[in-house]
Amino acid sequence: MRWYSFKTIKGSMAVLMEGNTLYRLILPSFSDIEEMLKEDNDGSFEITHVLESDASISLINKIRDYFAGGVINDWGVKPDISNLPPFYRRSLEYVYSIPYGKTMTYGEVAEAIGSPRASRAVGQANRNNPIPLVIPCHRVVGANGPGGFSGPGGVKMKMDMLQLEEANPHKTNNKYIQD
């Protein structure tokens, strides 16, 4: 496994990958991502910076395209969430299927996975999602608003991502965008 750090128009990001398997994704931040990875990394994983001119890693190109307004329906990687508890895995596997431009409430996801009273647990699964964006937890919203978001930038980042998808001409039914 190796960390790949790279820049997008929204800031620096990183992904932890091996081959076609994705283990972690850190959403954009204007912090020094490589310094953060060095502090958080016990030396187990190498860190490689991917330049904008380097098109060798398809996922990174797709992430850059997404934040530039592109519609990405297939990230081309296999997300690995095998280390999560079973309920979290079941929740996030369902969230993974929510298409670009659509949103669902925490309660709708809970109902869809056969646990209609577990909307808060669905929220906790999303909060612990190690692969946001690819497993699009930003598309899961509260019944009366955006809900929470634990990634860099918090709810503002979630709203930015939803607005990006809403602004795209291929949108479907994103009903929680605020003007």
Side-chain angles (χ1 to χ4, degrees), residues 47-96:
I47 302 169
T48 300
H49 180 71
V50 180
L51 300 173
E52 285 187 49
S53 59
D54 183 349
S56 65
I57 301 174
S58 174
L59 174 64
I60 293 173
N61 296 322
K62 289 178 179 184
I63 291 170
R64 286 176 172 150
D65 286 348
Y66 173 87
F67 284 109
V71 176
I72 308 298
N73 290 311
D74 180 5
W75 293 101
V77 293
K78 179 184 178 282
D80 185 325
I81 54 173
S82 62
N83 62 331
L84 295 177
F87 182 84
Y88 285 14
R89 283 196 312 268
R90 197 166 79 237
S91 296
L92 293 176
E93 286 165 357
Y94 187 82
V95 168
Y96 182 63

Side-chain angles (χ1 to χ4, degrees), residues 21-176:
T21 303
L22 178 64
Y23 296 93
R24 296 247 347 256
L25 183 145
I26 299 173
L27 288 169
S29 169
F30 288 104
S31 302
D32 185 343
I33 197 102
E34 288 186 42
E35 195 58 40
M36 183 188 79
L37 290 174
K38 287 177 187 170
E39 290 174 13
D40 193 41
N41 188 5
D42 62 3
S44 301
F45 308 115
E46 289 185 41
I47 302 169
T48 300
H49 180 71
V50 180
L51 300 173
E52 285 187 49
S53 59
D54 183 349
S56 65
I57 301 174
S58 174
L59 174 64
I60 293 173
N61 296 322
K62 289 178 179 184
I63 291 170
R64 286 176 172 150
D65 286 348
Y66 173 87
F67 284 109
V71 176
I72 308 298
N73 290 311
D74 180 5
W75 293 101
V77 293
K78 179 184 178 282
D80 185 325
I81 54 173
S82 62
N83 62 331
L84 295 177
F87 182 84
Y88 285 14
R89 283 196 312 268
R90 197 166 79 237
S91 296
L92 293 176
E93 286 165 357
Y94 187 82
V95 168
Y96 182 63
S97 73
I98 300 173
Y100 183 99
K102 286 194 136 219
T103 59
M104 293 182 75
T105 66
Y106 298 103
E108 288 170 334
V109 172
E111 181 79 32
I113 64 170
S115 299
R117 293 183 160 170
S119 59
R120 286 187 177 176
V122 167
Q124 286 302 310
N126 284 329
R127 183 177 193 277
N128 289 286
N129 178 6
I131 310 173
L133 182 60
V134 171
I135 299 177
C137 55
H138 65 282
R139 296 180 189 151
V140 184
V141 296
N144 298 309
F149 197 67
S150 62
V155 174
K156 183 184 179 331
M157 172 62 80
K158 180 177 189 170
M159 295 305 299
D160 287 350
M161 293 165 72
L162 291 174
Q163 287 172 343
L164 181 70
E165 293 182 18
E166 175 70 11
N168 194 289
H170 300 290
K171 66 184 179 195
T172 51
N173 76 339
N174 202 337
K175 58 189 173 190
Y176 292 101

